[in-house]
Structures are given as structure tokens and as C-alpha cells.
Amino acid sequence: MKITTRQFLKTAALVAAAAVLVACGKKDEPVATAPAASAPPPPAKVIVVGTDAAYAPFESQNEKGEIVGLTIDVVSAAAQKAGIEVKFVNTPWEGIFNALQQGDRDMLASSITITDERKQTMDFSDPYFDAYQLIAVKQSSKVAKLDDLKKLKVGVQTGTTGDEVVTKLQGKNSTNIKRFESTPLALKELEAGGIDAVVADNGVVVNYVTNNPAAKFKTVSDKAFVPEQYGFAVKKGNADLLGKLNKGLAEIKADGSYAAIYAKYFGAAPAAAAAPAPAAWTRNA
């Protein structure tokens, strides 16, 4: 049977229209897609802690080059309680405060005495150690008080409270004041007989005397020495980090962790807290 062109076109049009109707009546099937991967949480910020590791038993390096000491243990324990991660970086004392101000260090933990002067440029945590000056002399020495050092050769670490105290006692032009880069060097000189006494922070002196019994030293205290307190320093206005540090400190003091750390280095629990430190310039400043 022949089909005309008109009939062919008509039939084709009907087929096309039917196809369109079928397509319009069919619901769109949802396209399966893989669930979007959630973005990983940003890594926790590691708090970079600057410390001058040359001040045993607070902060120093062991034979493996690791930074150790009471200050290091206290920071680590407080940071764990506060849920923050810390990294210690040995930082020379001469540039340690600039490192904080420039943002190269997030905090400082280096036996830093809390003073009003320093509070003007940085913020401090609650105190973690009560310090004061001690006199170290040979066991045969007759020195019984600070004033007995007035005419003697006395070793001090440059720029410390001990340096300041002895300079005030003997005068800034005294040739009897022997200044050293560190307190242990001054104590070595005392052991060798080159000087008559050393004036330095109690923690460092006690640690040296305890660990060097052959030196045959004794310590002498004096009420003229004003109490000091060590704290951790953060950049001015860093309230978030300061709050976490103080929270961690409070917790390790409450649960006995701090007392255990203290006893590890000094053989006994800490004495009652001293009065707040005065505004004074010390080695740890």
C-alpha cells in the first residue's frame, strides 16, 4: 500500500507527540551522589614556649639535649589540664622578651620574676614559684648575714637580683663584685677559691649545693632579701591563653601534682606562699 508524503508526515508527527507525552508523564529519578566529605577540623595551635635553658633546676638541657626542669614540668602539667599543646624552644635570655613581643614565642617560661615594671609590657600568669636570694659560702666561712659581704669578693650572675643587691651593698664602682654569665659559673669560682661568696636565687643555689657535696658549701639567708615570685609571661592582652594557663595551674595545685613536681626537685613540699614580688629587675626579667 502506498503512503503519501502528507500521510507519512502526519504519522511521524503523531509518534513524536506521543513520545513527548510519555516523557512528560515520567517522574525525574533523583541522581545518586556521594555524600560530601566533611572538612577536617583545623589542627590545634601548638603554643610555642620560650625558655632560656641554662638555669637548673628550673630550666636546663640534659645530656640528650632535652629541655628539662621544674618550670618545664609545671608548664607541661598545667597545659595538659588546660587542653593545650606546648612546644619548648631554647631562647637566649638576651632576646627572650623581644621574641614574645614579635610573636615568635606565644609565652615565656623561664623563671621570670613578676614585677610591676614588666606588667606594663606583658601579662603574667598566677605565680608558680616563690623565690628569694641566698648567700652561698664555704662551710668554714664566718659570713652570717648580708652585711658581712660588704668588703668581700662576691660572685653574682650579671643582671640578676643578686647583682642588684650586692651592688647596692658595696657600691656600683666596687671591684669586689665579680660578675658571671651564669650562677653555676659563679659557684664554680667559689669552689675554686677565687671569690668569698655568691648571692643568687634560692632554687639555683640549693640545687647546686645539694648536687655538689664535695664543694662543702653552706647557705646563709637574710631578712633583707625581698621575696620574689615566678610566673609565665604572655603577650599583653592574650587573655585566652592566660586564662587557660591559670586554669591549669589551679588544677595541678589542687590535685597535688604541683607539690609532687616541687618535691622532685627540692625534696619537700613547697612552703607557704610568699608575699607578691616587688617591682625589681632580676636575671629572670
Side-chain angles (χ1 to χ4, degrees):
M1 181 176 67
K2 290 184 178 180
I3 183 169
T4 65
T5 301
R6 179 183 293 274
Q7 289 174 324
F8 173 80
L9 293 174
K10 184 176 180 181
T11 301
L14 290 172
V15 171
V20 169
L21 289 173
V22 171
C24 291
K26 187 178 182 180
K27 293 183 178 180
D28 292 335
E29 295 294 332
V31 179
T33 57
S38 58
K45 175 179 171 58
V46 177
I47 304 301
V48 180
V49 185
T51 186
D52 180 21
Y55 211 63
F58 297 98
E59 49 272 342
S60 62
Q61 288 183 298
N62 62 18
E63 62 278 359
K64 297 179 181 179
E66 300 166 329
I67 301 176
V68 297
L70 179 143
T71 298
I72 308 306
D73 288 354
V74 170
V75 172
S76 299
Q80 185 176 18
K81 291 287 189 182
I84 57 178
E85 184 178 352
V86 293
K87 175 185 177 182
F88 297 96
V89 179
N90 196 2
T91 308
W93 186 254
E94 291 76 12
I96 200 167
F97 292 102
N98 284 336
L100 179 66
Q101 295 303 326
Q102 293 171 5
D104 297 327
R105 304 290 183 268
D106 298 305
M107 63 173 283
L108 304 178
S110 197
S111 303
I112 303 171
T113 302
I114 302 170
T115 69
D116 290 338
E117 182 179 356
R118 290 193 194 101
K119 287 180 179 179
Q120 296 177 16
T121 57
M122 63 194 78
D123 290 333
F124 282 96
S125 70
D126 294 333
Y128 72 92
F129 188 83
D130 295 319
Y132 53 90
Q133 297 300 294
L134 268 182
I135 302 168
V137 292
K138 290 288 189 70
Q139 289 179 358
S140 58
S141 174
K142 294 182 179 179
V143 170
K145 57 185 182 299
L146 176 62
D147 198 57
D148 292 340
L149 303 180
K150 189 170 291 186
K151 295 182 180 180
L152 300 182
K153 292 181 180 179
V154 183
V156 297
Q157 183 178 348
T158 303
T160 63
T161 300
D163 187 351
E164 184 179 277
V165 167
V166 177
T167 298
K168 184 177 180 180
L169 177 69
Q170 294 191 359
K172 63 180 180 179
N173 297 320
S174 173
T175 58
N176 280 334
I177 303 174
K178 307 300 179 183
R179 295 179 172 87
F180 297 84
E181 291 182 2
S182 72
T183 297
L185 286 176
L187 291 163
K188 283 288 186 184
E189 185 66 10
L190 174 61
E191 189 174 351
I195 53 180
D196 302 305
V198 170
V199 177
D201 283 7
N202 61 313
V204 181
V205 171
V206 170
N207 179 72
Y208 191 95
V209 172
T210 301
N211 291 293
N212 295 274
K216 297 183 178 179
F217 288 161
K218 67 179 179 180
T219 61
V220 177
S221 60
D222 193 301
K223 292 181 180 179
F225 294 137
V226 181
E228 306 164 13
Q229 290 181 312
Y230 296 163
F232 307 129
V234 302
K235 198 168 185 179
K236 197 74 175 172
N238 192 347
D240 179 63
L241 178 55
L242 195 64
K244 291 176 180 177
L245 288 172
N246 284 336
K247 175 180 180 293
L249 272 174
E251 290 190 20
I252 65 172
K253 288 179 179 179
D255 69 7
S257 300
Y258 175 83
I261 293 171
Y262 189 101
K264 172 183 173 182
Y265 292 94
F266 295 106
W281 185 58
T282 73
R283 170 268 179 196
N284 307 302

